[in-house]
């Protein structure tokens, strides 16, 4: 496994692979890998002859009062996990290389970014779309794998790829969960034992929503209320949103249909967690 820090060196590897007709798969991450990331890497391994993982904590997607400086890092552990998952190249650029002095061009996926997490994290999805387009341009993948854990991010990237005619197949991977159901996240490492217990309520709320749907409930207001009730049982959980949306536009919907998205975000102590599920008949 090669570790590459320079943009030019990264380009050379993938240009050569393209010349040789090798299919390039990309898995972008912010590092601090867990089983969710590893599942994406395994999927990437199946999709490409050359598997590139990027590890970059992107400053432009963090708000001024967010956890950019404290974001967990473990380069050694990441390299071990990446190698085990079959990664060929890890691209770890410096912040100054991606955002040199004078940088001023950003990508805005205007409507999708306004929903869900966009409300409390203005500018977040501009940072995400911008860095992902940069990584696409540097690596030049045929296919890229993203997790459904960050559902809105996935929607934003799919839209960007379509709107800007990028010749990249976006593949999504289902959410990987802990044994009890908590969605894996690098940020789970911030949780104290007590908070870890309370964090499960996000999943329990989604489960409640799914259960109501399965029992025939179609009124989004009723479902959201029942989900909120579960979150409110935990005094340490500060609910940010509980939403029922169209899974493509992310617009709020009044009636649940097959394929509707249930999405939740909450703060627990200093940790902000998100989770979601797409409801399906049967
Ligand atoms: P991050 O390092 O948090 O930026 O995540 C990198 C990629 O891994 C993104 O596409 C995430 O959606 C995905 N990811 C993170 N956690 C999970 C999870 N629990 N299950 C599936 N994918 C995940």
């Amino acid at each position: 496994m090669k570790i590459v820090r320079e943009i030019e060196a990264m380009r050379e590897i993938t240009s050569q692979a393209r010349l040789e007709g090798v299919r390039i798969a990309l898995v972008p991450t912010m590092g601090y890998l867990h089983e969710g990331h590893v599942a994406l890497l395994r999927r990437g391994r199946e999709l490409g002859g050359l598997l590139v993982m990027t590890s970059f904590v992107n400053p432009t997607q963090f708000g001024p009062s967010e956890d950019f400086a404290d974001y967990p890092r473990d380069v050694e552990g990441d390299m071990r996990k990446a190698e085990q998952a079959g990664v060929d190249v890890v691209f770890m650029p410096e912040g100054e290389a991606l955002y040199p002095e004078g940088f001023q061009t950003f990508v805005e996926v205007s409507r999708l970014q306004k929903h869900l997490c966009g409300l409390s994290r203005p500018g977040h999805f501009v940072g995400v779309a911008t860095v992902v387009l940069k990584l696409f341009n540097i690596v030049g993948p045929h296919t890229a794998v993203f997790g459904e854990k960050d559902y809105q991010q996935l929607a934003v990237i799919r839209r960007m790829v379509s709107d800007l005619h990028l010749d990249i197949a976006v593949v999504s991977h289902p959410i990987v969960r802990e044994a009890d159901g908590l969605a894996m996240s690098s940020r789970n490492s911030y949780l104290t034992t007590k908070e870890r217990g309370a964090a499960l309520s996000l999943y329990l709320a989604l489960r409640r929503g799914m259960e109501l749907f399965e029992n025939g409930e179609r009124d989004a207001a009723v479902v959201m209320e029942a989900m909120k009730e579960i979150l409110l049982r935990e005094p340490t959980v500060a609910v940010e949103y509980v939403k029922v949306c169209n899974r493509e536009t992310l617009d709020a919907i009044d009636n649940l249909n097959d394929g509707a998205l249930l999405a939740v975000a909450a703060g627990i102590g200093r940790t902000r967690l998100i989770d979601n599920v797409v409801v399906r008949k049967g």
Side-chain angles (χ1 to χ4, degrees), residues 36-114:
H37 296 111
V38 171
L40 267 57
L41 293 173
R42 295 218 177 93
R43 185 77 187 101
R45 185 66 281 174
E46 292 165 0
L47 294 168
L50 183 79
L51 174 59
V52 180
M53 176 183 101
T54 60
S55 176
F56 180 65
V57 183
N58 174 39
T60 64
Q61 71 189 68
F62 287 80
S65 58
E66 293 182 358
D67 56 345
F68 173 67
D70 311 329
Y71 197 80
R73 288 164 170 87
D74 173 18
V75 175
E76 227 174 87
D78 286 354
M79 294 309 113
R80 210 175 42 243
K81 289 173 196 165
E83 188 148 33
Q84 274 169 11
V87 172
D88 296 306
V89 184
V90 179
F91 179 51
M92 296 181 68
E94 299 293 339
E96 297 77 44
L98 285 201
Y99 298 105
E101 187 72 21
F103 181 85
Q104 54 190 285
T105 306
F106 293 91
V107 181
E108 182 177 277
V109 180
S110 59
R111 287 203 298 281
L112 280 173
Q113 68 167 1
K114 290 196 177 124

Side-chain angles (χ1 to χ4, degrees), residues 123-144:
H124 170 67
F125 291 107
V126 168
V128 167
T130 303
V131 80
V132 170
L133 182 59
K134 279 168 166 286
L135 296 172
F136 282 175
N137 283 333
I138 295 166
V139 174
H142 296 87
T143 181

Side-chain angles (χ1 to χ4, degrees), residues 28-31 34 36-37 40 71 146-147 149-150 153 174-176 183-184:
T29 80
M30 297 205 298
H34 50 66
H37 296 111
L40 267 57
Y71 197 80
F146 293 88
K149 160 82 182 357
D150 300 274
Q153 166 172 289
I175 300 178
V176 177
M184 289 193 183

Side-chain angles (χ1 to χ4, degrees), residues 174-186:
I175 300 178
V176 177
R177 299 180 177 282
E178 301 284 356
D180 64 357
L182 177 71
M184 289 193 183
S185 165
S186 304

